[in-house]
Structure formats: structure tokens, C-alpha cells
Amino acid sequence: MTPLCAPAGAYSIRSGRLTAWIIPRGARLMQLFLDDKPLCLGFADPADYASDRASIGAVCGRYGNRIAGGRLERDGAVFELDQNEGEQCLHGGTNGFGHQTWAVVSHDVDSIRLRLDSPDGDQGWPGRCVAEVSYRLTGAGLEWEATADVDRPCPLNLIQHAYWNLGVPADAMTLQSPASEYWVSDANNLPLLREAVSGDLDFRQGRVLGRHDHDVALMVPGTGVRHMATLSGPLARLAIHSDQPSVQLYSAGHLRASERALGAPHHVGNAVCLETQQLPNGPALGEDVWIEPGQTYRHQLHIHITPQDSAA
């Protein structure tokens, strides 16, 4: 295969049949190729990500997903966060991690590491946070890891927000997940209560995804790095493993069109996000998401990629 040439401003890594382009803005996965076939949504020019509000390929933080009211309370202290989705704080705020420029720490043939130094009060978050993200291609797939340290207690939830298109729209892809429960959400997509999966939210046996308005946190039993979900389409099968408690299923129900897409077109229902993460609005729900000084936050995500021309 002739190596793909990354555009100016993007860093390329490669292993076997896989090539990934990474950009410093938001430490984003600009594109992941199987041979010359793109597997996710992207923009043709790295500069186009400056106007993206859908977090396409971004590393979201400090706390990916939603914080109700854009407000935190801890030991009597109140922290007012940036409200960028009505009264909520979404993906860390208007200028969250997915919109800031990360420094490239190292870059090799098959891997890249990036770092972001977020000061105290950034988007309203308490304390300084130094985060690192790494991407590594193994030939068998993509390994992604996020770590972070803080100098004041702060809730952290760094997530990788790729939009997968495996050759067909979301409703034609097949999803299998061992998730046994999910969170019922309110009109603001904030979790209310936990229920057993059933009907079109039961993916344990695997089935065609159908409808394009999924936006739900699926809870996967167990701890440590384990199988969270497998997404299949005509191009490839993606088996997603992580050490996080949940995977947010989002089938791009609010995606806006873009004139300069890289890969599949950007429109409603034309991709699937499977965001391994802590629970949305975790601090308010009493989840163990606060990181203390001296304690390192870590999120591991491994995506095993099987080309459909070699799938069993």
C-alpha cells in the first residue's frame, strides 16, 4: 500500500494496514484509515476543526459529557463552570480540552503522545490539570490512553469522541454489547435512574442498530479493561475494550452538514459514537470521579479492528 500523505498540520502514524492522522487541536483523531478507506468522520483541512462544535475526533475534558447546571460543589466550595449547552457544561466548556492546542511530546512511526497544561480556573474548573494522551497503532488496531494529574481535587473524565462510519449510516451498522443496564435520561440528556436493558436498547445478542436517535449511557459489568461493544459495517468490525464503567452510544442525531468532509459526509445519523467514559453528570450522582492531588487519572481504550475482507 502506498503511504497516505497527511496534510500540513497533521501527524501521521502507521502500522500494517492502518494509518491514523492526529492534529494538536483537541488532540483529535482526524482520520483512521484501513488501507485507503476512512473509518470515521473528519474534516478535509485541519483548520476546519476551529469551527467544529460536534467534537468530531476530539479528546473531551476536563469532564466529557454533561454537568448539570454547570456547577460543582465540594467540601462547601462551589465552582461555576462554563455553560455552553443551555445551563449545562458540555465536554468541559466552550474552550474545553477538545478545542485547545495540545503540545506534541513525542512522535514515532506508529505512535504519538500529546500534552495539555490546563491552568487553575480554566472554564471554571478547580486547580491546575496536566493531561497526556497517546495514540498507538499495533496493526491489529488502535490503542488510546489518557492520563492526568491535578494540584487540587477535580472531577475528570477524558473521552475519545470519534464518529465511526464503517461504510453505511448508523442505522445499518450492527452493534453488540454486553451492557446489562442503561441510564434513563431526562430531556437534557442527564441520567435519572438505572434500568435493565430491553427492547431496542438490548444489544447483548448483537443486532442492526436501527433508529438514529440513540444517545444513552450503557453500563457494562465488570472492572478493568474489558469488552464494551463491537460495531460492524461493510468495511470493518471494531471491538472496543476499556477500563471505564460505561459506553455512551450516540448515533449522530444532531450532526450538522459540512461542505469539506474527509471520509463519509457529515449529516444526521451517518455515524456512531461509542464513548467509553465515566457517567454523565457523575459528580452530582455521587460517582467516584474526583481526582485528588497525588492520584493519577487514567483511561484506557483499545480498539481491535478486523477488516471485513478477512473477518471470520
Side-chain angles (χ1 to χ4, degrees), residues 29-60:
L29 177 64
M30 180 176 175
Q31 190 52 265
L32 177 63
F33 297 92
L34 174 61
D35 298 328
D36 59 352
K37 299 177 179 64
L39 298 181
C40 55
L41 302 192
F43 289 93
D45 187 335
D48 292 346
Y49 288 90
S51 59
D52 170 47
R53 306 314 299 179
S55 300
I56 294 178
V59 173
C60 300

Side-chain angles (χ1 to χ4, degrees), residues 18 20 51 56 58 61 75 99 125 129 133 136 151 153 166 172 180 184 193 228 232 243 246 251 256-257:
L18 298 173
S51 59
I56 294 178
D75 297 331
H99 301 285
W125 297 94
C129 175
V133 164
R136 185 169 76 94
D151 64 3
L166 304 180
S180 56
V184 178
L193 71 156
M228 306 291 283
S232 301
D243 58 357
S246 74
S251 48
R256 296 180 180 179

Side-chain angles (χ1 to χ4, degrees), residues 176-228:
Q176 189 275 327
S177 173
S180 56
E181 295 181 305
Y182 75 102
W183 279 85
V184 178
S185 297
D186 65 14
N188 293 318
N189 286 318
L190 294 168
L192 293 173
L193 71 156
R194 199 160 156 168
E195 290 191 354
V197 296
S198 62
D200 63 1
L201 290 178
D202 186 352
F203 298 100
R204 287 173 293 183
Q205 300 304 313
R207 61 178 179 79
V208 176
L209 191 57
R211 47 181 275 212
H212 63 254
D213 60 347
H214 288 100
D215 192 357
V216 62
L218 300 172
M219 302 302 294
V220 178
T223 59
V225 177
R226 65 206 185 283
H227 177 237
M228 306 291 283

Side-chain angles (χ1 to χ4, degrees), residues 8-131:
Y11 292 79
S12 180
I13 59 176
R14 184 182 176 209
S15 180
R17 297 174 62 179
L18 298 173
T19 301
W21 293 349
I22 314 298
I23 60 171
R25 184 182 182 87
R28 294 184 186 228
L29 177 64
M30 180 176 175
Q31 190 52 265
L32 177 63
F33 297 92
L34 174 61
D35 298 328
D36 59 352
K37 299 177 179 64
L39 298 181
C40 55
L41 302 192
F43 289 93
D45 187 335
D48 292 346
Y49 288 90
S51 59
D52 170 47
R53 306 314 299 179
S55 300
I56 294 178
V59 173
C60 300
R62 292 186 189 187
Y63 201 96
N65 220 305
R66 294 165 175 85
I67 299 292
R71 181 184 176 92
L72 296 174
E73 295 186 33
R74 173 84 167 188
D75 297 331
V78 175
F79 304 95
E80 300 291 346
L81 309 177
D82 179 63
Q83 297 178 350
N84 60 328
E85 188 187 59
E87 295 182 349
Q88 300 180 118
C89 180
L90 175 66
H91 295 329
T94 303
N95 194 37
F97 284 8
H99 301 285
Q100 298 187 35
T101 300
W102 296 55
V104 176
V105 176
S106 62
H107 176 221
D108 207 339
V109 173
D110 60 1
S111 65
I112 186 170
R113 180 176 291 274
L114 305 99
R115 178 181 296 142
L116 182 66
D117 192 336
S118 172
D120 181 26
D122 184 9
Q123 310 300 291
W125 297 94
R128 178 189 181 195
C129 175
V130 179

